[in-house]
């Protein structure tokens, strides 16, 4: 097998890997991107309901979880959401803002994939799909990489970039390969677990949840000192919806979560008003005026709130309001990597240079995107980290190969 030569080999044709390739090749460097998948950008394609929540207008370091909360600041501050929006607009892709600063394509997420591929082609990058990494070794002049599959080859490169993501959505081929490469070269990896994932419950709770599966309600959901106010969804497996996905990144086993339905509303005042207006109505019926009716019926049955509201004392109504706005439940787990949108944890940032994403102890080795211990909130933040970290590594590489 003849030995091929590239300036840079990038493992992973996802958001971070393609972004890195574009900028690594900007000054004429020879760049190869490899991926085991049959098509590039598969997580981009399925994201945002097929419309790709490609960034968030309010992106800041505070929207990310990491053992080092300051690590992401450099990349995020030098390649911002506004820079990526400019790239999207350059390619004529129409977009719109939804709630909480989330930006989506008006059309298809495939437009973002096509945009990145166009930029890669213009930069002269080579892409090999259905190609596996069989081995990687390092010597005095760089890396020797052996590839298998359709793009089988033996390659020498000065730079090697790990952009193969985490363990989330294994049906798309996600593995822990990036962490294995880090450990092979002596980099530490923090604990990894599913994030932005639905929570599951024991059968005692789940039996009731199944009765109201499909019911959604606005809620503030908290765990410890962290809270998110968005929609919550009851499912046959437990709880989902944006508020639950957000809090899942902070939840740990044996911890409760606190649910505040109708955050900002005075539920007690609403119940007192209902009592005065028509005391013959059942408590669950009155609750159904301010909560989804199936949810109100479930809460009333679960807590034994029976009888006409007119016969309930003000103290009882206050207790009902307190439960509605301070409901504590104990998840027993999550749905796991199967449905997790991202992986929490990853390559420990203490071993990386925040400006370039290069391993401090291994010249020419870079880690970007989800494989790094930087995890964003739901709402486009993780894509922005992919763009920013990919840009940081790619720019640093192009400066070295110019």
């Amino acid at each position: 097998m003849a030995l091929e030569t590239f300036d840079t080999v990038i493992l992973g044709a996802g958001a971070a890997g393609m972004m890195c390739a574009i900028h690594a090749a900007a000054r004429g460097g020879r760049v190869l991107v490899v991926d085991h998948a049959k098509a590039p950008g598969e997580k981009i394609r399925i994201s945002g309901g097929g419309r790709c929540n490609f960034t968030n207008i309010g992106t800041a370091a505070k929207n990310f979880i990491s053992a080092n909360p300051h690590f992401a600041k450099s990349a995020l501050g030098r390649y911002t959401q506004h820079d990526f929006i400019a790239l999207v607009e350059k390619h004529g892709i129409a977009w719109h803002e939804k709630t909480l600063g989330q930006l989506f394509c008006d059309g298809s997420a495939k437009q973002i994939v096509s945009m990145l591929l166009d930029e890669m082609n213009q930069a002269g990058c080579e892409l090999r799909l259905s190609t596996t990494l069989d081995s990687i070794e390092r010597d005095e002049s760089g890396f020797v990489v052996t590839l298998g599959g359709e793009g089988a080859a033996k390659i020498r490169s000065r730079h090697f970039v790990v952009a193969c993501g985490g363990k989330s959505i294994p049906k798309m081929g996600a593995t822990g390969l990036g962490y294995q490469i880090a450990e092979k070269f002596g980099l530490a990896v923090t604990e990894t677990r599913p994030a932005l994932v639905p929570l599951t419950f024991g059968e005692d709770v789940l039996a009731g949840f199944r009765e109201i599966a499909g019911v959604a309600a606005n809620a503030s959901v908290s765990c410890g000192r962290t809270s998110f106010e968005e929609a919550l969804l009851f499912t046959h497996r437990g709880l989902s919806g944006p508020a639950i996905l957000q809090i899942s990144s902070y939840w740990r086993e044996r911890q409760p979560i606190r649910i505040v339905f109708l955050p900002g509303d005075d539920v007690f005042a609403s119940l007192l008003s209902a009592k005065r207006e028509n005391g013959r109505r059942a408590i669950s019926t009155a609750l159904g005026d301010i909560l989804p009716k199936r949810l109100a019926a479930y809460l009333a049955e679960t807590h034994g709130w029976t009888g006409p509201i007119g016969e309930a004392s003000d103290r009882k109504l206050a207790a009902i309001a307190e439960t509605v706005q301070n409901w504590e439940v104990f998840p027993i787990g999550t749905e796991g990597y199967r449905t997790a949108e991202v992986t929490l944890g990853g390559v420990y940032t203490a071993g990386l240079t925040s400006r370039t994403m290069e391993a401090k102890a291994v010249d020419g080795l870079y880690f970007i995107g989800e494989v790094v211990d930087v995890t964003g909130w739901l709402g486009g933040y993780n894509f922005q980290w992919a763009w920013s970290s990919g840009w940081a590594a790619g720019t640093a590489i192009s400066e070295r190969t110019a």
Side-chain angles (χ1 to χ4, degrees), residues 160-185:
F160 188 86
V161 183
V162 179
C164 53
K167 301 176 183 177
S168 59
I169 318 182
K171 70 178 181 181
M172 295 181 65
T175 68
L177 177 59
Y179 311 131
Q180 296 169 21
I181 296 172
E183 291 170 342
K184 172 184 175 67
F185 288 101

Side-chain angles (χ1 to χ4, degrees), residues 161-331:
V161 183
V162 179
C164 53
K167 301 176 183 177
S168 59
I169 318 182
K171 70 178 181 181
M172 295 181 65
T175 68
L177 177 59
Y179 311 131
Q180 296 169 21
I181 296 172
E183 291 170 342
K184 172 184 175 67
F185 288 101
L187 279 78
V189 177
T190 68
E191 176 193 9
T192 56
R193 55 192 176 92
L196 301 182
V197 62
L199 297 175
T200 59
F201 292 79
E203 186 58 37
D204 56 333
V205 175
L206 202 54
F209 282 7
R210 290 194 187 104
E211 296 177 9
I212 54 173
V215 171
N218 188 45
S220 173
V221 180
S222 61
C223 183
R225 297 181 179 180
T226 303
S227 64
F228 293 93
E229 183 179 332
E230 291 189 70
L232 171 154
L233 175 69
F234 290 87
T235 75
H236 287 90
R237 296 187 180 91
L239 290 173
S240 187
I244 294 296
L245 299 186
Q246 295 279 36
I247 209 64
S248 71
S249 298
Y250 294 85
W251 176 80
R252 299 304 299 260
E253 289 76 5
R254 294 182 293 278
Q255 282 186 312
I257 61 170
R258 178 172 170 262
I259 299 172
V260 178
F261 292 112
L262 304 169
D265 289 1
D266 190 336
V267 173
F268 179 48
S270 296
L271 293 176
L272 285 177
S273 177
K275 179 180 178 179
R276 287 192 301 267
E277 291 172 5
N278 187 351
R280 291 175 297 178
R281 301 174 76 204
I283 293 172
S284 61
T285 303
L287 270 177
D289 289 341
I290 57 176
L291 287 171
K293 287 179 171 54
R294 288 170 61 200
L295 173 59
Y298 166 76
L299 290 173
E301 181 180 353
T302 301
H303 295 92
W305 300 333
T306 59
I309 192 169
E311 295 178 8
S313 67
D314 288 0
R315 177 178 293 183
K316 180 175 181 178
L317 295 182
I320 291 172
E322 170 64 17
T323 299
V324 169
Q325 298 198 292
N326 191 19
W327 189 33
E328 190 174 81
V329 290
F330 282 80

Side-chain angles (χ1 to χ4, degrees), residues 91-102:
H91 283 258
I93 299 173
W95 56 271
H96 60 278
E97 180 179 347
K98 293 184 76 173
T99 58
L100 303 174
Q102 302 170 49

Side-chain angles (χ1 to χ4, degrees), residues 320-368:
I320 291 172
E322 170 64 17
T323 299
V324 169
Q325 298 198 292
N326 191 19
W327 189 33
E328 190 174 81
V329 290
F330 282 80
I332 63 167
T334 75
E335 290 191 9
Y337 289 114
R338 181 182 65 83
T339 56
E341 296 200 12
V342 291
T343 303
L344 190 69
V347 177
Y348 188 32
T349 57
L352 305 176
T353 301
S354 63
R355 186 170 182 84
T356 64
M357 308 302 297
E358 185 177 17
K360 293 177 180 177
V362 187
D363 184 60
L365 180 63
Y366 301 78
F367 293 84
I368 58 176

Side-chain angles (χ1 to χ4, degrees), residues 80-126:
T80 71
Q81 57 271 38
H82 306 291
D83 294 314
F84 192 76
I85 292 168
L87 178 62
V88 168
E89 292 181 338
K90 169 189 166 186
H91 283 258
I93 299 173
W95 56 271
H96 60 278
E97 180 179 347
K98 293 184 76 173
T99 58
L100 303 174
Q102 302 170 49
L103 305 189
F104 290 78
C105 297
D106 285 359
S108 169
K110 293 178 183 178
Q111 294 175 287
I112 299 295
V113 178
S114 296
M115 174 190 79
L116 296 169
L117 290 174
D118 287 347
E119 291 283 328
M120 284 174 59
N121 289 334
Q122 291 175 29
C125 304
E126 183 176 338

